[in-house]
Amino acid sequence: MYEQEPRQPDPPEPPGGEVEALDALVEAGGFHRLAPAWVPREFAPPTMELTLRVAHGLRRLADERQ
């Protein structure tokens, strides 16, 4: 007989309007004024090729640390 996994509680919902306000701030570029200039402002589109390249790089780094 298997024991049932404990159920994780659902994350709390943010107060009304906060998600939209944060989204508007990020869209307007407001978030990046808080980050150093070396933080990327644009990212490569998440494709399968990119995912595989990242996975390969992470595996290589993990192997180098062993």
Side-chain angles (χ1 to χ4, degrees):
M1 182 170 190
Y2 296 103
E3 291 186 30
Q4 187 174 7
E5 296 268 335
R7 186 180 180 286
Q8 294 287 340
D10 292 332
E13 288 291 320
E18 284 192 14
V19 171
E20 291 80 9
L22 180 59
D23 189 44
L25 175 68
V26 170
E27 280 293 316
F31 170 78
H32 290 294
R33 70 178 170 76
L34 303 174
W38 54 264
V39 173
R41 281 12 184 207
E42 295 182 21
F43 301 93
T47 63
M48 182 57 72
E49 178 187 357
L50 178 61
T51 302
L52 294 172
R53 287 178 57 200
V54 169
H56 176 74
L58 291 172
R59 283 190 195 100
R60 187 185 45 171
L61 286 171
D63 290 344
E64 288 174 1
R65 291 185 178 250
Q66 290 181 355

XYZ file of all heavy atoms in Angstrom:
521
model
N 0.840 -1.181 0.000
C 0.000 0.000 0.000
C 0.889 1.250 0.000
O 1.854 1.326 0.737
C -0.895 -0.020 1.229
C -1.839 1.123 1.298
S -2.996 0.770 2.625
C -4.126 2.025 2.344
N 0.581 2.193 -0.859
C 1.368 3.405 -0.974
C 0.798 4.508 -0.104
O -0.415 4.649 0.011
C 1.383 3.892 -2.428
C 2.059 2.930 -3.363
C 1.329 2.105 -4.195
C 3.440 2.855 -3.401
C 1.945 1.219 -5.051
C 4.069 1.969 -4.254
C 3.318 1.163 -5.078
O 3.943 0.295 -5.916
N 1.702 5.255 0.498
C 1.244 6.418 1.249
C 0.990 7.555 0.271
O 1.727 7.726 -0.696
C 2.308 6.847 2.260
C 2.482 5.863 3.385
C 3.439 6.391 4.426
O 3.522 7.610 4.610
O 4.108 5.560 5.049
N -0.027 8.317 0.564
C -0.361 9.440 -0.311
C 0.622 10.581 -0.059
O 0.969 10.884 1.079
C -1.782 9.906 -0.052
C -2.251 10.946 -1.034
C -3.721 11.275 -0.820
O -4.337 10.819 0.126
N -4.261 12.070 -1.708
N 1.107 11.178 -1.166
C 2.010 12.313 -1.059
C 1.278 13.481 -0.400
O 0.100 13.711 -0.693
C 2.467 12.749 -2.449
C 3.278 11.719 -3.176
C 4.756 11.899 -2.940
O 5.176 13.014 -2.633
O 5.472 10.901 -3.050
N 1.952 14.203 0.488
C 1.282 15.374 1.056
C 1.007 16.404 -0.041
O 1.836 16.631 -0.917
C 2.271 15.907 2.085
C 3.570 15.290 1.754
C 3.287 14.030 0.976
N -0.150 16.992 -0.006
C -0.543 17.964 -1.025
C 0.019 19.331 -0.660
O -0.111 19.778 0.465
C -2.066 18.052 -1.116
C -2.544 18.920 -2.243
C -4.069 18.954 -2.270
N -4.586 19.770 -3.322
C -4.578 21.104 -3.341
N -4.031 21.768 -2.359
N -5.091 21.782 -4.341
N 0.683 19.948 -1.649
C 1.195 21.298 -1.458
C 0.029 22.273 -1.497
O -0.830 22.165 -2.368
C 2.194 21.659 -2.563
C 3.458 20.846 -2.537
C 4.367 21.253 -1.396
O 4.255 22.343 -0.856
N 5.253 20.371 -1.011
N -0.016 23.220 -0.573
C -1.097 24.196 -0.639
C -0.930 25.092 -1.866
O 0.183 25.320 -2.337
C -0.939 25.005 0.658
C 0.480 24.807 1.058
C 0.892 23.447 0.535
N -2.034 25.551 -2.390
C -1.976 26.467 -3.521
C -1.316 27.763 -3.074
O -1.523 28.221 -1.940
C -3.390 26.772 -4.041
C -4.023 25.544 -4.680
O -3.275 24.696 -5.192
O -5.257 25.442 -4.653
N -0.492 28.366 -3.964
C 0.135 29.631 -3.577
C -0.939 30.706 -3.383
O -1.979 30.681 -4.039
C 1.045 29.968 -4.761
C 0.541 29.144 -5.887
C -0.153 27.957 -5.308
N -0.694 31.627 -2.478
C -1.694 32.672 -2.250
C -1.842 33.572 -3.470
O -0.889 33.783 -4.219
C -1.139 33.455 -1.057
C 0.318 33.177 -1.067
C 0.482 31.800 -1.659
N -3.021 34.063 -3.684
C -3.278 34.985 -4.786
C -2.815 36.377 -4.376
O -3.064 36.809 -3.249
C -4.776 35.023 -5.104
C -5.290 33.765 -5.772
C -4.757 33.604 -7.188
O -4.666 34.612 -7.915
O -4.414 32.468 -7.545
N -2.122 37.093 -5.273
C -1.722 38.454 -4.928
C -2.947 39.363 -4.857
O -3.966 39.079 -5.491
C -0.810 38.869 -6.084
C -1.173 37.959 -7.196
C -1.689 36.696 -6.590
N -2.850 40.428 -4.076
C -3.977 41.363 -4.009
C -4.319 41.891 -5.391
O -3.450 42.000 -6.261
C -3.464 42.483 -3.105
C -2.359 41.868 -2.326
C -1.765 40.797 -3.214
N -5.566 42.217 -5.608
C -6.033 42.671 -6.906
C -5.221 43.822 -7.471
O -4.902 44.772 -6.775
N -4.877 43.699 -8.743
C -4.178 44.767 -9.442
C -2.666 44.745 -9.337
O -1.993 45.407 -10.114
N -2.103 44.008 -8.380
C -0.644 44.030 -8.220
C 0.075 43.364 -9.382
O 1.134 43.830 -9.800
C -0.228 43.389 -6.899
C -0.486 44.284 -5.714
C 0.172 43.778 -4.458
O 1.035 42.885 -4.528
O -0.179 44.297 -3.393
N -0.471 42.278 -9.880
C 0.162 41.589 -11.009
C 0.156 42.507 -12.222
O 1.171 42.660 -12.907
C -0.547 40.255 -11.316
C -0.036 39.653 -12.610
C -0.374 39.285 -10.164
N -0.977 43.137 -12.485
C -1.076 44.042 -13.626
C -0.134 45.234 -13.465
O 0.500 45.677 -14.418
C -2.519 44.525 -13.816
C -3.474 43.446 -14.266
C -3.959 42.550 -13.122
O -3.693 42.857 -11.936
O -4.593 41.529 -13.428
N -0.026 45.756 -12.241
C 0.857 46.898 -11.997
C 2.318 46.512 -12.213
O 3.089 47.268 -12.811
C 0.649 47.429 -10.582
N 2.714 45.328 -11.744
C 4.087 44.867 -11.942
C 4.362 44.637 -13.424
O 5.420 45.010 -13.931
C 4.345 43.597 -11.142
C 5.741 43.008 -11.260
C 6.794 44.008 -10.813
C 5.850 41.725 -10.457
N 3.408 44.031 -14.123
C 3.561 43.801 -15.554
C 3.736 45.125 -16.298
O 4.601 45.252 -17.160
C 2.354 43.038 -16.088
C 2.548 42.577 -17.512
O 3.642 42.062 -17.825
O 1.618 42.731 -18.319
N 2.944 46.126 -15.948
C 3.049 47.441 -16.591
C 4.403 48.084 -16.290
O 5.017 48.699 -17.170
C 1.911 48.348 -16.130
N 4.892 47.931 -15.070
C 6.192 48.485 -14.694
C 7.311 47.853 -15.512
O 8.177 48.547 -16.053
C 6.449 48.254 -13.205
C 7.815 48.671 -12.663
C 7.958 50.180 -12.699
C 8.017 48.142 -11.268
N 7.279 46.535 -15.642
C 8.314 45.831 -16.411
C 8.223 46.222 -17.881
O 9.234 46.489 -18.526
C 8.193 44.302 -16.215
C 9.091 43.558 -17.180
C 8.528 43.931 -14.778
N 7.009 46.255 -18.432
C 6.825 46.629 -19.838
C 7.358 48.037 -20.117
O 7.903 48.302 -21.181
C 5.346 46.556 -20.234
C 4.866 45.168 -20.543
C 5.507 44.592 -21.791
O 5.622 45.303 -22.807
O 5.911 43.427 -21.741
N 7.210 48.922 -19.156
C 7.665 50.302 -19.331
C 9.171 50.445 -19.104
O 9.719 51.530 -19.248
C 6.901 51.218 -18.381
N 9.837 49.354 -18.734
C 11.276 49.406 -18.505
C 11.638 49.854 -17.105
O 12.806 50.045 -16.794
N 10.656 50.012 -16.245
C 10.895 50.495 -14.883
C 11.702 49.547 -14.028
O 12.461 49.969 -13.166
N 11.566 48.260 -14.258
C 12.306 47.285 -13.462
C 13.801 47.420 -13.684
O 14.596 47.333 -12.763
C 11.843 45.869 -13.812
C 12.702 44.794 -13.216
C 12.569 44.445 -11.891
C 13.662 44.151 -13.974
C 13.366 43.461 -11.329
C 14.461 43.169 -13.422
C 14.302 42.819 -12.097
N 14.196 47.635 -14.925
C 15.619 47.618 -15.252
C 16.381 48.812 -14.687
O 17.594 48.737 -14.537
C 15.811 47.517 -16.765
C 15.420 46.177 -17.289
N 16.085 45.033 -16.966
C 14.400 45.781 -18.089
C 15.523 43.994 -17.538
N 14.491 44.419 -18.220
N 15.712 49.867 -14.342
C 16.439 50.986 -13.729
C 16.966 50.602 -12.349
O 17.866 51.230 -11.823
C 15.572 52.232 -13.650
C 14.442 52.144 -12.665
C 13.651 53.451 -12.618
N 12.448 53.276 -11.844
C 12.402 53.219 -10.514
N 13.505 53.323 -9.808
N 11.257 53.047 -9.883
N 16.408 49.525 -11.778
C 16.840 49.062 -10.463
C 18.004 48.071 -10.547
O 18.635 47.771 -9.552
C 15.670 48.384 -9.739
C 14.416 49.241 -9.564
C 13.293 48.394 -8.977
C 14.688 50.443 -8.696
N 18.256 47.569 -11.746
C 19.292 46.548 -11.930
C 20.556 47.173 -12.521
O 20.487 48.174 -13.232
C 18.768 45.461 -12.868
N 21.735 46.595 -12.228
C 22.971 47.106 -12.817
C 22.948 47.009 -14.342
O 22.203 46.209 -14.917
C 24.059 46.190 -12.246
C 23.430 45.359 -11.204
C 21.947 45.450 -11.355
N 23.772 47.789 -14.990
C 23.796 47.850 -16.455
C 24.185 46.519 -17.093
O 23.789 46.245 -18.220
C 24.749 48.946 -16.915
N 24.918 45.658 -16.381
C 25.352 44.399 -16.978
C 24.245 43.346 -17.013
O 24.383 42.313 -17.649
C 26.576 43.834 -16.265
C 26.427 43.660 -14.791
C 26.812 44.524 -13.817
C 25.855 42.540 -14.109
N 26.512 44.036 -12.581
C 25.919 42.810 -12.731
C 25.291 41.351 -14.518
C 25.433 41.932 -11.764
C 24.805 40.472 -13.557
C 24.888 40.779 -12.206
N 23.112 43.590 -16.357
C 21.997 42.648 -16.392
C 21.349 42.714 -17.771
O 20.996 43.793 -18.240
C 20.960 42.977 -15.296
C 19.719 42.107 -15.435
C 21.571 42.812 -13.923
N 21.205 41.571 -18.459
C 20.632 41.598 -19.810
C 19.216 42.168 -19.820
O 18.445 41.956 -18.901
C 20.604 40.128 -20.233
C 21.442 39.401 -19.255
C 21.542 40.225 -18.029
N 18.916 42.912 -20.859
C 17.574 43.488 -21.019
C 16.743 42.691 -22.015
O 15.535 42.780 -22.038
C 17.665 44.919 -21.528
C 17.990 46.055 -20.585
C 18.479 45.717 -19.255
N 18.662 46.910 -18.429
C 19.518 46.982 -17.452
N 20.304 45.959 -17.184
N 19.604 48.056 -16.716
N 17.384 41.911 -22.849
C 16.697 41.089 -23.833
C 17.277 39.681 -23.777
O 18.434 39.496 -23.443
C 16.869 41.667 -25.236
C 16.203 43.018 -25.401
C 16.326 43.560 -26.813
O 16.555 42.760 -27.738
O 16.219 44.773 -26.961
N 16.454 38.722 -24.121
C 16.860 37.325 -24.035
C 16.542 36.608 -25.336
O 15.657 37.019 -26.078
C 16.139 36.637 -22.870
C 16.413 37.289 -21.547
C 15.568 38.271 -21.057
C 17.526 36.958 -20.813
C 15.821 38.895 -19.846
C 17.802 37.565 -19.602
C 16.942 38.541 -19.120
N 17.257 35.524 -25.581
C 16.986 34.699 -26.764
C 15.620 34.039 -26.605
O 15.212 33.707 -25.498
C 18.065 33.630 -26.907
N 14.914 33.853 -27.721
C 13.620 33.166 -27.621
C 13.814 31.735 -27.115
O 14.770 31.067 -27.494
C 13.074 33.171 -29.046
C 14.140 33.698 -29.917
C 15.246 34.234 -29.082
N 12.927 31.259 -26.253
C 13.075 29.902 -25.699
C 12.690 28.840 -26.719
O 11.532 28.491 -26.865
C 12.117 29.905 -24.504
C 11.097 30.938 -24.846
C 11.794 31.962 -25.694
N 13.679 28.334 -27.432
C 13.454 27.279 -28.427
C 13.985 25.958 -27.887
O 14.731 25.930 -26.899
C 14.184 27.612 -29.743
O 15.595 27.642 -29.458
C 13.747 28.945 -30.318
N 13.637 24.884 -28.554
C 14.152 23.567 -28.151
C 15.666 23.529 -28.291
O 16.367 22.983 -27.440
C 13.500 22.458 -28.977
C 13.972 21.075 -28.572
S 13.724 20.668 -26.830
C 11.958 20.465 -26.808
N 16.204 24.121 -29.350
C 17.652 24.154 -29.543
C 18.335 24.865 -28.379
O 19.341 24.389 -27.849
C 17.996 24.853 -30.858
C 19.498 24.949 -31.087
C 19.875 25.788 -32.300
O 18.966 26.266 -33.009
O 21.077 25.967 -32.515
N 17.798 25.999 -27.967
C 18.378 26.733 -26.847
C 18.304 25.909 -25.566
O 19.270 25.843 -24.796
C 17.666 28.074 -26.657
C 18.148 28.913 -25.472
C 19.620 29.273 -25.625
C 17.293 30.149 -25.331
N 17.183 25.260 -25.342
C 17.024 24.426 -24.151
C 18.067 23.316 -24.125
O 18.688 23.059 -23.087
C 15.605 23.822 -24.113
O 14.652 24.890 -24.140
C 15.384 22.981 -22.883
N 18.297 22.681 -25.256
C 19.299 21.608 -25.326
C 20.704 22.148 -25.100
O 21.524 21.503 -24.438
C 19.196 20.882 -26.661
C 17.892 20.103 -26.877
C 17.819 19.578 -28.311
C 17.763 18.981 -25.879
N 20.999 23.326 -25.657
C 22.326 23.925 -25.457
C 22.556 24.258 -23.990
O 23.647 24.022 -23.441
C 22.471 25.184 -26.299
C 22.632 24.888 -27.781
C 22.713 26.144 -28.609
N 23.808 26.990 -28.172
C 23.901 28.292 -28.428
N 22.974 28.896 -29.139
N 24.933 28.989 -27.998
N 21.544 24.801 -23.331
C 21.658 25.133 -21.905
C 21.847 23.861 -21.087
O 22.713 23.796 -20.200
C 20.427 25.929 -21.425
C 20.406 26.050 -19.909
C 20.405 27.313 -22.065
N 21.049 22.825 -21.375
C 21.169 21.559 -20.648
C 22.565 20.970 -20.822
O 23.171 20.497 -19.854
C 20.098 20.581 -21.126
N 23.086 21.010 -22.051
C 24.430 20.488 -22.316
C 25.472 21.274 -21.504
O 26.358 20.680 -20.885
C 24.736 20.571 -23.808
C 26.126 20.149 -24.167
N 26.526 18.835 -24.165
C 27.215 20.875 -24.504
C 27.805 18.777 -24.483
N 28.243 19.999 -24.703
N 25.362 22.579 -21.509
C 26.309 23.404 -20.760
C 26.245 23.154 -19.263
O 27.274 23.090 -18.586
N 25.036 22.993 -18.732
C 24.904 22.725 -17.299
C 25.477 21.358 -16.930
O 26.132 21.214 -15.898
C 23.431 22.817 -16.884
C 22.832 24.216 -16.917
C 21.333 24.154 -16.668
C 23.510 25.128 -15.918
N 25.253 20.358 -17.798
C 25.836 19.034 -17.546
C 27.358 19.097 -17.545
O 28.027 18.488 -16.717
C 25.346 18.028 -18.567
C 23.955 17.537 -18.316
C 23.598 16.354 -19.214
N 22.164 16.161 -19.181
C 21.318 16.577 -20.128
N 21.779 17.192 -21.205
N 20.033 16.382 -20.016
N 27.912 19.843 -18.515
C 29.358 19.968 -18.614
C 29.922 20.632 -17.348
O 30.910 20.173 -16.783
C 29.728 20.778 -19.839
C 31.227 20.804 -20.113
C 31.518 21.713 -21.242
N 30.703 22.902 -20.941
C 30.739 24.044 -21.565
N 31.535 24.219 -22.553
N 29.992 25.056 -21.238
N 29.260 21.697 -16.888
C 29.714 22.363 -15.665
C 29.623 21.436 -14.454
O 30.518 21.402 -13.617
C 28.887 23.623 -15.398
C 29.178 24.808 -16.302
C 28.145 25.913 -16.069
C 30.581 25.330 -16.067
N 28.554 20.663 -14.384
C 28.392 19.720 -13.257
C 29.482 18.650 -13.312
O 30.041 18.279 -12.276
C 27.010 19.085 -13.300
N 29.795 18.159 -14.510
C 30.844 17.141 -14.642
C 32.214 17.698 -14.267
O 33.025 16.990 -13.671
C 30.881 16.596 -16.075
C 29.670 15.738 -16.407
O 28.968 15.305 -15.474
O 29.422 15.511 -17.611
N 32.467 18.948 -14.605
C 33.759 19.572 -14.284
C 33.948 19.733 -12.783
O 35.069 19.699 -12.286
C 33.870 20.937 -14.949
C 34.068 20.888 -16.442
C 34.037 22.261 -17.079
O 33.876 23.270 -16.373
O 34.148 22.326 -18.315
N 32.868 19.872 -12.040
C 32.966 20.076 -10.594
C 33.129 18.773 -9.819
O 33.385 18.781 -8.638
C 31.738 20.832 -10.082
C 31.728 22.245 -10.556
C 30.578 23.007 -9.947
N 30.618 24.375 -10.376
C 30.919 25.385 -9.597
N 31.215 25.178 -8.341
N 30.924 26.617 -10.048
N 32.973 17.642 -10.517
C 33.097 16.357 -9.803
C 34.520 15.914 -9.736
O 35.370 16.179 -10.452
C 32.252 15.289 -10.496
C 30.782 15.548 -10.310
C 29.929 14.466 -10.982
O 30.440 13.582 -11.649
N 28.638 14.565 -10.806
